[in-house]
Amino acid sequence: MNDIGAWVWWLVGAAALGIPLVVTAMPEFGMLAVGAGAAAATAGLGADVVVQVLVFVAVSVALIAVVRPIANRHRSTRPQLATGVDALKGKQAVVLERVDGSGHGRIKLAGEIWSARALDTDRAYEPGQEVDVVEIEGATAIVI
């Protein structure tokens, strides 16, 4: 196998490893493809086959050892943006109809009218008062 053929075969290998990366979304295939690209560069510089294989293994293992834990750490972090009813928790609302612990009452929350009940069953809020939403249970806002 001559030097030109070696680097071409390494590039073919890199492309072949890129296909399962796209299909399976497993980043390890991409790291192996980068290792094959490094081996292709080594072959292009005229290095021996043993050196090419060592470069492929070293670069691939280094990427997997360094990049994979970082990727896993980023994958496990939760997004900071709350959506849906989670975004309503902590918001202020205005009482439209008397809200008490029995679940009878209405508030205006984020431009919409919601049924509401007081978190503290002994407490009542009168129309016009501002309350804080602490939880959403179904279509009812729990307020304090």
Side-chain angles (χ1 to χ4, degrees):
M1 184 159 53
N2 62 25
D3 290 337
I4 294 175
W7 71 266
V8 170
W9 284 111
W10 280 112
L11 287 181
V12 169
L17 288 166
I19 293 170
L21 166 67
V22 173
V23 173
T24 65
M26 290 180 61
E28 291 83 1
F29 285 111
M31 295 173 209
L32 293 172
V34 171
T42 304
L45 293 173
D48 186 56
V49 174
V50 173
V51 175
Q52 296 169 29
V53 171
L54 288 175
V55 167
F56 168 72
V57 170
V59 170
S60 298
V61 169
L63 286 172
I64 290 172
V66 173
V67 175
R68 190 168 184 232
I70 294 170
N72 286 339
R73 192 169 39 246
H74 284 286
R75 188 181 313 155
S76 65
T77 58
R78 298 195 68 186
Q80 299 297 322
L81 179 64
T83 60
V85 293
D86 289 333
L88 299 176
K89 295 176 188 175
K91 296 282 186 181
Q92 285 194 331
V94 176
V95 176
L96 299 177
E97 295 176 11
R98 187 172 196 266
V99 174
D100 56 27
S102 67
H104 301 294
R106 300 260 184 249
I107 60 170
K108 187 164 190 171
L109 171 63
E112 298 178 349
I113 298 175
W114 285 74
S115 61
R117 72 175 167 84
L119 178 65
D120 182 2
T121 56
D122 297 332
R123 185 83 196 258
Y125 303 97
E126 299 301 326
Q129 278 187 285
E130 287 191 359
V131 293
D132 293 321
V133 176
V134 294
E135 188 67 49
I136 303 287
E137 290 181 358
T140 302
I142 313 302
V143 300
I144 55 172

